[in-house]
Short mmCIF file of all heavy atoms in Angstrom, two decimals:
data_model
loop_
_atom_site.label_atom_id
_atom_site.label_comp_id
_atom_site.label_asym_id
_atom_site.label_seq_id
_atom_site.Cartn_x
_atom_site.Cartn_y
_atom_site.Cartn_z
N MET Y 750 32.28 43.59 70.23
CA MET Y 750 30.91 43.88 69.83
C MET Y 750 30.82 44.39 68.47
O MET Y 750 31.41 45.46 68.14
CB MET Y 750 30.35 44.97 70.79
CG MET Y 750 29.53 44.58 71.88
SD MET Y 750 28.74 46.01 72.51
CE MET Y 750 28.30 45.41 74.09
N ALA Y 751 30.18 43.60 67.66
CA ALA Y 751 30.02 44.08 66.25
C ALA Y 751 28.86 45.07 66.14
O ALA Y 751 27.88 45.01 66.86
CB ALA Y 751 29.68 42.81 65.41
N GLY Y 752 29.15 46.13 65.26
CA GLY Y 752 28.05 47.06 65.02
C GLY Y 752 28.13 48.26 65.96
O GLY Y 752 27.40 49.25 65.81
N THR Y 753 28.97 48.26 67.03
CA THR Y 753 29.04 49.37 67.91
C THR Y 753 29.48 50.65 67.21
O THR Y 753 28.86 51.72 67.44
CB THR Y 753 29.97 49.05 69.04
OG1 THR Y 753 29.56 47.90 69.73
CG2 THR Y 753 29.98 50.18 70.08
N GLY Y 754 30.46 50.53 66.34
CA GLY Y 754 30.90 51.76 65.58
C GLY Y 754 29.82 52.25 64.62
O GLY Y 754 29.58 53.40 64.52
N GLN Y 755 29.07 51.24 64.05
CA GLN Y 755 28.00 51.65 63.09
C GLN Y 755 26.84 52.34 63.89
O GLN Y 755 26.21 53.24 63.41
CB GLN Y 755 27.53 50.49 62.36
CG GLN Y 755 28.48 49.98 61.32
CD GLN Y 755 27.99 48.79 60.44
OE1 GLN Y 755 27.04 48.21 60.91
NE2 GLN Y 755 28.73 48.51 59.44
N ASP Y 756 26.57 51.84 65.10
CA ASP Y 756 25.54 52.40 65.87
C ASP Y 756 25.90 53.78 66.36
O ASP Y 756 25.09 54.64 66.33
CB ASP Y 756 25.32 51.58 67.20
CG ASP Y 756 24.66 50.18 66.84
OD1 ASP Y 756 24.11 50.05 65.72
OD2 ASP Y 756 24.73 49.27 67.67
N ARG Y 757 27.16 54.00 66.65
CA ARG Y 757 27.64 55.32 67.10
C ARG Y 757 27.59 56.25 65.91
O ARG Y 757 27.19 57.46 66.06
CB ARG Y 757 29.05 55.28 67.61
CG ARG Y 757 29.56 56.60 68.17
CD ARG Y 757 31.04 56.49 68.52
NE ARG Y 757 31.81 56.41 67.28
CZ ARG Y 757 33.00 55.76 67.25
NH1 ARG Y 757 33.45 55.01 68.37
NH2 ARG Y 757 33.60 55.70 66.11
N ASP Y 758 28.01 55.81 64.74
CA ASP Y 758 27.89 56.64 63.56
C ASP Y 758 26.49 57.03 63.20
O ASP Y 758 26.20 58.11 62.81
CB ASP Y 758 28.57 55.93 62.38
CG ASP Y 758 30.08 55.91 62.41
OD1 ASP Y 758 30.67 56.61 63.38
OD2 ASP Y 758 30.68 55.21 61.67
N ALA Y 759 25.56 56.05 63.30
CA ALA Y 759 24.15 56.34 63.07
C ALA Y 759 23.56 57.34 64.06
O ALA Y 759 22.88 58.24 63.51
CB ALA Y 759 23.34 55.06 63.11
N GLY Y 760 24.02 57.25 65.30
CA GLY Y 760 23.58 58.17 66.28
C GLY Y 760 24.11 59.61 65.96
O GLY Y 760 23.38 60.65 66.14
N GLN Y 761 25.29 59.68 65.58
CA GLN Y 761 25.92 60.97 65.22
C GLN Y 761 25.24 61.58 63.93
O GLN Y 761 25.14 62.83 63.94
CB GLN Y 761 27.46 60.84 65.05
CG GLN Y 761 28.14 60.66 66.34
CD GLN Y 761 29.62 60.56 66.18
OE1 GLN Y 761 30.20 60.42 65.05
NE2 GLN Y 761 30.42 60.61 67.25
N MET Y 762 24.90 60.69 63.00
CA MET Y 762 24.30 61.21 61.83
C MET Y 762 22.88 61.80 62.15
O MET Y 762 22.46 62.83 61.63
CB MET Y 762 24.19 60.15 60.78
CG MET Y 762 25.48 59.92 60.09
SD MET Y 762 26.29 61.34 59.27
CE MET Y 762 25.13 61.56 57.94
N ARG Y 763 22.22 61.08 63.07
CA ARG Y 763 20.92 61.60 63.54
C ARG Y 763 21.03 62.87 64.19
O ARG Y 763 20.16 63.89 63.97
CB ARG Y 763 20.16 60.56 64.38
CG ARG Y 763 19.55 59.40 63.56
CD ARG Y 763 18.65 58.60 64.48
NE ARG Y 763 19.35 57.90 65.53
CZ ARG Y 763 19.99 56.73 65.35
NH1 ARG Y 763 19.87 56.06 64.25
NH2 ARG Y 763 20.62 56.15 66.40
N LEU Y 764 22.03 63.05 65.09
CA LEU Y 764 22.30 64.27 65.79
C LEU Y 764 22.67 65.42 64.68
O LEU Y 764 22.06 66.45 64.94
CB LEU Y 764 23.39 64.07 66.81
CG LEU Y 764 23.84 65.35 67.62
CD1 LEU Y 764 22.57 65.84 68.37
CD2 LEU Y 764 24.95 65.03 68.49
N ALA Y 765 23.39 65.15 63.84
CA ALA Y 765 23.84 66.12 62.84
C ALA Y 765 22.60 66.61 61.96
O ALA Y 765 22.36 67.75 61.79
CB ALA Y 765 24.89 65.57 61.85
N ALA Y 766 21.71 65.65 61.62
CA ALA Y 766 20.52 65.97 60.91
C ALA Y 766 19.60 66.77 61.76
O ALA Y 766 19.00 67.79 61.26
CB ALA Y 766 19.77 64.74 60.44
N LEU Y 767 19.55 66.43 63.07
CA LEU Y 767 18.69 67.19 63.96
C LEU Y 767 19.22 68.63 64.18
O LEU Y 767 18.42 69.65 64.17
CB LEU Y 767 18.53 66.55 65.26
CG LEU Y 767 17.66 67.20 66.38
CD1 LEU Y 767 16.19 67.20 66.02
CD2 LEU Y 767 17.82 66.48 67.70
N VAL Y 768 20.46 68.87 64.31
CA VAL Y 768 21.08 70.17 64.44
C VAL Y 768 20.82 70.95 63.15
O VAL Y 768 20.52 72.18 63.23
CB VAL Y 768 22.63 70.01 64.70
CG1 VAL Y 768 23.36 71.31 64.49
CG2 VAL Y 768 22.90 69.56 66.07
N ILE Y 769 20.93 70.35 61.96
CA ILE Y 769 20.60 71.10 60.71
C ILE Y 769 19.23 71.52 60.66
O ILE Y 769 18.91 72.71 60.36
CB ILE Y 769 20.98 70.20 59.51
CG1 ILE Y 769 22.51 69.98 59.37
CG2 ILE Y 769 20.45 70.81 58.21
CD1 ILE Y 769 22.94 68.91 58.43
N ALA Y 770 18.24 70.65 60.97
CA ALA Y 770 16.89 70.98 60.95
C ALA Y 770 16.48 72.09 61.99
O ALA Y 770 15.74 73.03 61.62
CB ALA Y 770 15.95 69.71 61.31
N VAL Y 771 17.03 71.96 63.19
CA VAL Y 771 16.74 72.94 64.23
C VAL Y 771 17.38 74.29 63.89
O VAL Y 771 16.81 75.35 64.09
CB VAL Y 771 17.18 72.48 65.62
CG1 VAL Y 771 17.10 73.62 66.63
CG2 VAL Y 771 16.31 71.22 66.16
N ALA Y 772 18.61 74.25 63.39
CA ALA Y 772 19.26 75.52 62.94
C ALA Y 772 18.50 76.17 61.91
O ALA Y 772 18.35 77.47 61.93
CB ALA Y 772 20.69 75.29 62.53
N MET Y 773 18.07 75.52 60.93
CA MET Y 773 17.35 76.07 59.82
C MET Y 773 16.01 76.66 60.18
O MET Y 773 15.64 77.80 59.95
CB MET Y 773 17.10 75.08 58.66
CG MET Y 773 16.45 75.74 57.50
SD MET Y 773 17.28 77.27 56.97
CE MET Y 773 18.17 76.63 55.47
N CYS Y 774 15.27 75.93 61.03
CA CYS Y 774 13.96 76.43 61.52
C CYS Y 774 14.15 77.59 62.41
O CYS Y 774 13.40 78.55 62.30
CB CYS Y 774 13.22 75.32 62.20
SG CYS Y 774 12.63 74.01 61.16
N GLY Y 775 15.12 77.57 63.30
CA GLY Y 775 15.43 78.60 64.20
C GLY Y 775 15.87 79.84 63.46
O GLY Y 775 15.45 80.99 63.78
N TRP Y 776 16.73 79.73 62.49
CA TRP Y 776 17.17 80.81 61.62
C TRP Y 776 15.90 81.52 60.94
O TRP Y 776 15.73 82.72 60.87
CB TRP Y 776 18.14 80.30 60.63
CG TRP Y 776 18.60 81.44 59.71
CD1 TRP Y 776 19.55 82.39 60.04
CD2 TRP Y 776 18.15 81.64 58.41
NE1 TRP Y 776 19.71 83.21 58.95
CE2 TRP Y 776 19.01 82.81 57.89
CE3 TRP Y 776 17.36 81.08 57.57
CZ2 TRP Y 776 18.81 83.32 56.70
CZ3 TRP Y 776 17.21 81.58 56.29
CH2 TRP Y 776 17.95 82.72 55.85
N LEU Y 777 15.04 80.72 60.39
CA LEU Y 777 13.88 81.21 59.63
C LEU Y 777 12.97 81.89 60.64
O LEU Y 777 12.42 83.02 60.34
CB LEU Y 777 13.10 80.07 58.97
CG LEU Y 777 13.76 79.55 57.68
CD1 LEU Y 777 13.04 78.31 57.21
CD2 LEU Y 777 13.83 80.54 56.57
N LEU Y 778 12.88 81.37 61.81
CA LEU Y 778 11.88 82.03 62.83
C LEU Y 778 12.52 83.39 63.29
O LEU Y 778 11.74 84.32 63.37
CB LEU Y 778 11.81 81.05 64.07
CG LEU Y 778 10.95 81.60 65.23
CD1 LEU Y 778 9.50 81.73 64.74
CD2 LEU Y 778 11.04 80.72 66.39
N VAL Y 779 13.81 83.37 63.55
CA VAL Y 779 14.39 84.67 63.98
C VAL Y 779 14.28 85.70 62.87
O VAL Y 779 14.09 86.93 63.15
CB VAL Y 779 15.90 84.44 64.39
CG1 VAL Y 779 16.67 85.80 64.60
CG2 VAL Y 779 15.91 83.66 65.67
N GLN Y 780 14.50 85.30 61.62
CA GLN Y 780 14.41 86.23 60.46
C GLN Y 780 13.07 86.80 60.38
O GLN Y 780 12.77 87.99 60.20
CB GLN Y 780 14.76 85.52 59.17
CG GLN Y 780 16.27 85.08 59.07
CD GLN Y 780 17.16 86.17 59.22
OE1 GLN Y 780 17.07 87.23 58.65
NE2 GLN Y 780 18.23 85.95 59.93
N TRP Y 781 12.01 85.88 60.53
CA TRP Y 781 10.61 86.36 60.45
C TRP Y 781 10.19 87.22 61.63
O TRP Y 781 9.58 88.26 61.40
CB TRP Y 781 9.66 85.04 60.42
CG TRP Y 781 8.22 85.47 60.28
CD1 TRP Y 781 7.56 85.76 59.17
CD2 TRP Y 781 7.27 85.44 61.31
NE1 TRP Y 781 6.19 86.05 59.46
CE2 TRP Y 781 6.04 85.82 60.81
CE3 TRP Y 781 7.37 85.14 62.71
CZ2 TRP Y 781 4.90 85.91 61.62
CZ3 TRP Y 781 6.24 85.30 63.47
CH2 TRP Y 781 4.97 85.72 62.92
N LEU Y 782 10.60 86.86 62.81
CA LEU Y 782 10.33 87.64 64.08
C LEU Y 782 10.93 89.01 63.90
O LEU Y 782 10.37 90.04 64.21
CB LEU Y 782 10.68 86.93 65.26
CG LEU Y 782 9.93 85.75 65.71
CD1 LEU Y 782 10.59 85.01 66.92
CD2 LEU Y 782 8.51 86.23 66.12
N GLY Y 783 12.22 89.04 63.41
CA GLY Y 783 12.91 90.30 63.35
C GLY Y 783 12.20 91.26 62.31
O GLY Y 783 12.13 92.45 62.60
N GLN Y 784 11.67 90.70 61.27
CA GLN Y 784 10.89 91.51 60.34
C GLN Y 784 9.63 91.97 60.91
O GLN Y 784 9.23 93.07 60.75
CB GLN Y 784 10.70 90.64 59.05
CG GLN Y 784 9.98 91.48 57.95
CD GLN Y 784 9.70 90.62 56.66
OE1 GLN Y 784 9.76 89.39 56.78
NE2 GLN Y 784 9.55 91.28 55.58
N GLN Y 785 8.90 91.02 61.58
CA GLN Y 785 7.66 91.49 62.20
C GLN Y 785 7.76 92.53 63.26
O GLN Y 785 6.84 93.43 63.33
CB GLN Y 785 6.89 90.27 62.81
CG GLN Y 785 6.53 89.17 61.76
CD GLN Y 785 5.57 89.66 60.73
OE1 GLN Y 785 4.60 90.34 61.00
NE2 GLN Y 785 5.85 89.36 59.52
N TYR Y 786 8.79 92.43 64.11
CA TYR Y 786 8.89 93.42 65.18
C TYR Y 786 10.02 94.47 65.03
O TYR Y 786 10.18 95.18 65.88
CB TYR Y 786 9.30 92.52 66.51
CG TYR Y 786 8.09 91.59 66.98
CD1 TYR Y 786 8.22 90.33 66.79
CD2 TYR Y 786 6.91 92.18 67.44
CE1 TYR Y 786 7.16 89.46 67.12
CE2 TYR Y 786 5.87 91.41 67.81
CZ TYR Y 786 6.07 90.01 67.67
OH TYR Y 786 5.02 89.22 68.03
N GLY Y 787 10.51 94.49 63.79
CA GLY Y 787 11.47 95.63 63.56
C GLY Y 787 12.75 95.56 64.33
O GLY Y 787 13.31 96.58 64.66
N TRP Y 788 13.27 94.35 64.58
CA TRP Y 788 14.47 94.20 65.32
C TRP Y 788 15.71 94.81 64.50
O TRP Y 788 15.63 94.84 63.25
CB TRP Y 788 14.84 92.79 65.59
CG TRP Y 788 13.79 92.14 66.60
CD1 TRP Y 788 12.89 92.74 67.30
CD2 TRP Y 788 13.73 90.76 66.89
NE1 TRP Y 788 12.19 91.87 68.07
CE2 TRP Y 788 12.72 90.59 67.88
CE3 TRP Y 788 14.40 89.66 66.48
CZ2 TRP Y 788 12.34 89.40 68.40
CZ3 TRP Y 788 14.11 88.41 67.01
CH2 TRP Y 788 12.98 88.30 67.96
N ALA Y 789 16.74 95.18 65.19
CA ALA Y 789 17.83 95.73 64.57
C ALA Y 789 18.60 94.63 63.74
O ALA Y 789 18.51 93.46 64.06
CB ALA Y 789 18.87 96.23 65.63
N GLY Y 790 19.30 95.03 62.72
CA GLY Y 790 20.01 94.05 61.84
C GLY Y 790 21.04 93.25 62.50
O GLY Y 790 21.30 92.11 61.98
N LYS Y 791 21.63 93.77 63.63
CA LYS Y 791 22.65 92.95 64.26
C LYS Y 791 22.16 91.65 64.85
O LYS Y 791 22.80 90.72 64.91
CB LYS Y 791 23.29 93.75 65.45
CG LYS Y 791 22.27 94.05 66.65
CD LYS Y 791 23.06 94.92 67.67
CE LYS Y 791 22.01 95.33 68.74
NZ LYS Y 791 22.61 96.20 69.70
N TRP Y 792 20.77 91.55 65.14
CA TRP Y 792 20.21 90.31 65.59
C TRP Y 792 20.08 89.31 64.42
O TRP Y 792 20.23 88.12 64.70
CB TRP Y 792 18.87 90.47 66.23
CG TRP Y 792 18.98 91.40 67.52
CD1 TRP Y 792 18.53 92.69 67.66
CD2 TRP Y 792 19.71 91.13 68.71
NE1 TRP Y 792 18.92 93.20 68.82
CE2 TRP Y 792 19.58 92.28 69.53
CE3 TRP Y 792 20.40 90.04 69.12
CZ2 TRP Y 792 20.23 92.31 70.77
CZ3 TRP Y 792 20.99 90.04 70.38
CH2 TRP Y 792 20.83 91.16 71.16
N ALA Y 793 19.81 89.83 63.26
CA ALA Y 793 19.80 88.95 62.08
C ALA Y 793 21.17 88.38 61.88
O ALA Y 793 21.32 87.20 61.49
CB ALA Y 793 19.31 89.71 60.90
N PHE Y 794 22.18 89.31 62.00
CA PHE Y 794 23.58 88.73 61.77
C PHE Y 794 23.97 87.72 62.89
O PHE Y 794 24.67 86.76 62.55
CB PHE Y 794 24.60 89.94 61.78
CG PHE Y 794 24.51 90.74 60.44
CD1 PHE Y 794 24.32 92.03 60.56
CD2 PHE Y 794 24.58 90.16 59.18
CE1 PHE Y 794 24.23 92.87 59.41
CE2 PHE Y 794 24.44 90.93 58.04
CZ PHE Y 794 24.23 92.25 58.12
N LEU Y 795 23.48 87.89 64.09
CA LEU Y 795 23.84 86.98 65.11
C LEU Y 795 23.09 85.58 64.79
O LEU Y 795 23.81 84.61 64.98
CB LEU Y 795 23.32 87.46 66.48
CG LEU Y 795 23.66 86.71 67.69
CD1 LEU Y 795 25.11 86.57 67.83
CD2 LEU Y 795 23.01 87.26 68.95
N ALA Y 796 21.92 85.68 64.30
CA ALA Y 796 21.19 84.47 63.96
C ALA Y 796 21.96 83.80 62.79
O ALA Y 796 22.15 82.55 62.70
CB ALA Y 796 19.81 84.76 63.57
N ASP Y 797 22.34 84.61 61.89
CA ASP Y 797 23.17 84.03 60.71
C ASP Y 797 24.43 83.34 61.16
O ASP Y 797 24.75 82.20 60.73
CB ASP Y 797 23.55 85.15 59.72
CG ASP Y 797 22.47 85.78 58.91
OD1 ASP Y 797 21.36 85.13 58.98
OD2 ASP Y 797 22.61 86.83 58.47
N LEU Y 798 25.18 84.00 62.11
CA LEU Y 798 26.40 83.30 62.57
C LEU Y 798 26.16 82.10 63.31
O LEU Y 798 26.85 81.09 63.20
CB LEU Y 798 27.17 84.31 63.45
CG LEU Y 798 27.91 85.45 62.75
CD1 LEU Y 798 28.47 86.44 63.81
CD2 LEU Y 798 28.96 84.97 61.88
N ALA Y 799 25.08 82.01 64.14
CA ALA Y 799 24.67 80.77 64.94
C ALA Y 799 24.38 79.70 63.95
O ALA Y 799 24.76 78.55 64.19
CB ALA Y 799 23.53 81.07 65.90
N ALA Y 800 23.59 80.00 62.85
CA ALA Y 800 23.21 79.02 61.89
C ALA Y 800 24.38 78.55 61.10
O ALA Y 800 24.57 77.32 60.97
CB ALA Y 800 22.14 79.54 60.93
N ILE Y 801 25.29 79.42 60.78
CA ILE Y 801 26.51 79.04 60.11
C ILE Y 801 27.31 78.09 60.96
O ILE Y 801 27.94 77.05 60.50
CB ILE Y 801 27.35 80.23 59.60
CG1 ILE Y 801 26.63 80.88 58.47
CG2 ILE Y 801 28.84 79.91 59.18
CD1 ILE Y 801 27.17 82.27 58.12
N GLY Y 802 27.45 78.40 62.25
CA GLY Y 802 28.25 77.61 63.18
C GLY Y 802 27.56 76.20 63.25
O GLY Y 802 28.32 75.19 63.32
N ALA Y 803 26.25 76.11 63.32
CA ALA Y 803 25.59 74.78 63.41
C ALA Y 803 25.82 74.04 62.14
O ALA Y 803 26.10 72.74 62.20
CB ALA Y 803 24.05 74.96 63.65
N PHE Y 804 25.75 74.72 61.01
CA PHE Y 804 26.00 73.98 59.70
C PHE Y 804 27.48 73.44 59.59
O PHE Y 804 27.69 72.40 59.02
CB PHE Y 804 25.65 74.87 58.57
CG PHE Y 804 24.12 75.13 58.46
CD1 PHE Y 804 23.74 76.47 58.09
CD2 PHE Y 804 23.16 74.24 58.80
CE1 PHE Y 804 22.35 76.75 58.03
CE2 PHE Y 804 21.84 74.57 58.77
CZ PHE Y 804 21.49 75.82 58.36
N VAL Y 805 28.45 74.33 59.97
CA VAL Y 805 29.89 73.94 59.87
C VAL Y 805 30.08 72.71 60.80
O VAL Y 805 30.73 71.75 60.41
CB VAL Y 805 30.70 75.10 60.30
CG1 VAL Y 805 32.19 74.68 60.48
CG2 VAL Y 805 30.72 76.13 59.11
N TRP Y 806 29.50 72.75 62.03
CA TRP Y 806 29.69 71.64 62.93
C TRP Y 806 29.12 70.38 62.36
O TRP Y 806 29.73 69.32 62.36
CB TRP Y 806 29.00 71.92 64.30
CG TRP Y 806 29.07 70.81 65.24
CD1 TRP Y 806 30.06 70.60 66.11
CD2 TRP Y 806 28.07 69.73 65.41
NE1 TRP Y 806 29.87 69.41 66.84
CE2 TRP Y 806 28.58 68.95 66.42
CE3 TRP Y 806 26.88 69.50 64.85
CZ2 TRP Y 806 27.83 67.79 66.80
CZ3 TRP Y 806 26.20 68.39 65.32
CH2 TRP Y 806 26.75 67.49 66.29
N SER Y 807 27.91 70.44 61.76
CA SER Y 807 27.26 69.31 61.14
C SER Y 807 28.10 68.82 59.94
O SER Y 807 28.25 67.62 59.74
CB SER Y 807 25.85 69.61 60.68
OG SER Y 807 25.00 70.00 61.76
N LEU Y 808 28.68 69.69 59.19
CA LEU Y 808 29.51 69.28 58.13
C LEU Y 808 30.73 68.53 58.52
O LEU Y 808 31.18 67.51 57.99
CB LEU Y 808 29.96 70.48 57.24
CG LEU Y 808 30.85 70.24 56.07
CD1 LEU Y 808 30.16 69.41 55.02
CD2 LEU Y 808 31.32 71.55 55.50
N ILE Y 809 31.35 69.05 59.59
CA ILE Y 809 32.59 68.38 60.19
C ILE Y 809 32.23 67.04 60.74
O ILE Y 809 32.94 66.03 60.45
CB ILE Y 809 33.20 69.22 61.32
CG1 ILE Y 809 33.82 70.56 60.67
CG2 ILE Y 809 34.16 68.48 62.08
CD1 ILE Y 809 34.28 71.58 61.57
N VAL Y 810 31.07 66.83 61.36
CA VAL Y 810 30.72 65.60 61.99
C VAL Y 810 30.44 64.64 60.84
O VAL Y 810 30.90 63.46 60.85
CB VAL Y 810 29.48 65.74 62.84
CG1 VAL Y 810 28.86 64.36 63.20
CG2 VAL Y 810 29.78 66.46 64.15
N THR Y 811 29.73 65.11 59.79
CA THR Y 811 29.37 64.21 58.68
C THR Y 811 30.62 63.78 57.93
O THR Y 811 30.77 62.65 57.58
CB THR Y 811 28.41 64.96 57.68
OG1 THR Y 811 27.30 65.34 58.46
CG2 THR Y 811 27.99 64.02 56.59
N TRP Y 812 31.58 64.71 57.73
CA TRP Y 812 32.86 64.38 57.12
C TRP Y 812 33.67 63.37 57.86
O TRP Y 812 34.25 62.47 57.22
CB TRP Y 812 33.69 65.67 56.86
CG TRP Y 812 35.00 65.49 56.24
CD1 TRP Y 812 35.24 65.21 54.81
CD2 TRP Y 812 36.29 65.64 56.88
NE1 TRP Y 812 36.58 65.14 54.68
CE2 TRP Y 812 37.22 65.43 55.85
CE3 TRP Y 812 36.65 65.95 58.10
CZ2 TRP Y 812 38.59 65.42 56.13
CZ3 TRP Y 812 38.01 65.98 58.40
CH2 TRP Y 812 38.96 65.63 57.45
N ARG Y 813 33.64 63.52 59.14
CA ARG Y 813 34.45 62.60 60.00
C ARG Y 813 33.85 61.14 59.87
O ARG Y 813 34.60 60.19 59.81
CB ARG Y 813 34.45 63.04 61.44
CG ARG Y 813 35.39 64.29 61.74
CD ARG Y 813 35.39 64.75 63.03
NE ARG Y 813 35.93 63.74 63.96
CZ ARG Y 813 35.80 63.72 65.27
NH1 ARG Y 813 35.10 64.73 65.83
NH2 ARG Y 813 36.29 62.80 66.01
N ILE Y 814 32.51 61.10 59.83
CA ILE Y 814 31.85 59.82 59.83
C ILE Y 814 32.21 59.23 58.39
O ILE Y 814 32.43 57.99 58.30
CB ILE Y 814 30.33 59.93 59.94
CG1 ILE Y 814 30.07 60.24 61.44
CG2 ILE Y 814 29.60 58.63 59.60
CD1 ILE Y 814 28.61 60.73 61.66
N TRP Y 815 32.13 60.09 57.46
CA TRP Y 815 32.42 59.57 55.93
C TRP Y 815 33.74 58.99 55.95
O TRP Y 815 34.10 57.98 55.37
CB TRP Y 815 32.25 60.64 55.01
CG TRP Y 815 32.56 60.37 53.59
CD1 TRP Y 815 31.84 59.64 52.71
CD2 TRP Y 815 33.77 60.81 52.94
NE1 TRP Y 815 32.49 59.48 51.51
CE2 TRP Y 815 33.69 60.10 51.55
CE3 TRP Y 815 34.81 61.60 53.28
CZ2 TRP Y 815 34.59 60.45 50.66
CZ3 TRP Y 815 35.83 61.72 52.28
CH2 TRP Y 815 35.68 61.13 51.06
N ARG Y 816 34.86 59.72 56.52
CA ARG Y 816 36.13 59.32 56.55
C ARG Y 816 36.34 57.95 57.29
O ARG Y 816 37.12 57.08 56.86
CB ARG Y 816 37.12 60.25 57.15
CG ARG Y 816 37.33 61.47 56.19
CD ARG Y 816 38.54 62.24 56.51
NE ARG Y 816 39.69 61.39 56.69
CZ ARG Y 816 40.76 61.78 57.42
NH1 ARG Y 816 40.77 63.00 58.06
NH2 ARG Y 816 41.80 60.95 57.50
N ARG Y 817 35.66 57.83 58.44
CA ARG Y 817 35.79 56.52 59.18
C ARG Y 817 35.18 55.37 58.42
O ARG Y 817 35.82 54.31 58.44
CB ARG Y 817 34.96 56.66 60.53
CG ARG Y 817 35.74 56.93 61.66
CD ARG Y 817 35.10 56.60 62.99
NE ARG Y 817 33.71 57.21 63.07
CZ ARG Y 817 33.47 58.42 63.63
NH1 ARG Y 817 34.38 59.12 64.05
NH2 ARG Y 817 32.19 58.78 63.75
N ARG Y 818 34.15 55.61 57.63
CA ARG Y 818 33.54 54.46 56.85
C ARG Y 818 34.39 54.16 55.68
O ARG Y 818 34.31 53.03 55.26
CB ARG Y 818 32.18 54.89 56.43
CG ARG Y 818 31.18 54.89 57.54
CD ARG Y 818 29.78 55.03 57.06
NE ARG Y 818 28.80 55.01 58.21
CZ ARG Y 818 27.53 55.20 58.08
NH1 ARG Y 818 26.94 55.47 56.86
NH2 ARG Y 818 26.63 55.07 59.11
N ASN Y 819 35.10 55.17 55.10
CA ASN Y 819 35.90 54.79 53.97
C ASN Y 819 37.30 54.43 54.25
O ASN Y 819 38.15 54.16 53.40
CB ASN Y 819 35.94 56.03 53.06
CG ASN Y 819 34.66 56.23 52.27
OD1 ASN Y 819 33.91 55.27 52.04
ND2 ASN Y 819 34.28 57.46 52.11
N ALA Y 820 37.70 54.31 55.65
CA ALA Y 820 39.01 54.00 55.97
C ALA Y 820 39.27 52.53 55.93
O ALA Y 820 38.39 51.72 55.98
CB ALA Y 820 39.27 54.55 57.39
#
């Protein structure tokens, strides 16, 4: 089947883009809510760690796709 690898890569890139967008919006929302309701700083750090995890995962997925395409 021609294009199966490209279809899989395209799906993974869409997923990585979605994860980046959701992580950023969620991070901004938690930061804003924390400020509005006076949440403890540990919740902001937890949101930071979750966002960093999502960004690192997206970077790894994108890097793997780039390596496959250049192989």
Side-chain angles (χ1 to χ4, degrees):
M750 259 192 199
T753 303
Q755 289 181 348
D756 292 341
R757 185 184 70 214
D758 287 348
Q761 286 182 349
M762 286 301 290
R763 281 190 295 273
L764 178 61
L767 181 65
V768 167
I769 291 170
V771 169
M773 184 52 106
C774 290
W776 179 78
L777 287 171
L778 180 66
V779 169
Q780 298 297 320
W781 181 79
L782 287 172
Q784 184 180 18
Q785 295 298 315
Y786 294 109
W788 292 351
K791 66 182 177 182
W792 299 111
F794 288 126
L795 184 62
D797 292 344
L798 287 175
I801 289 169
F804 295 143
V805 167
W806 178 85
S807 297
L808 178 66
I809 291 169
V810 168
T811 304
W812 179 71
R813 290 177 65 197
I814 292 169
W815 177 76
R816 284 200 51 204
R817 257 197 315 266
R818 287 187 178 179
N819 288 330

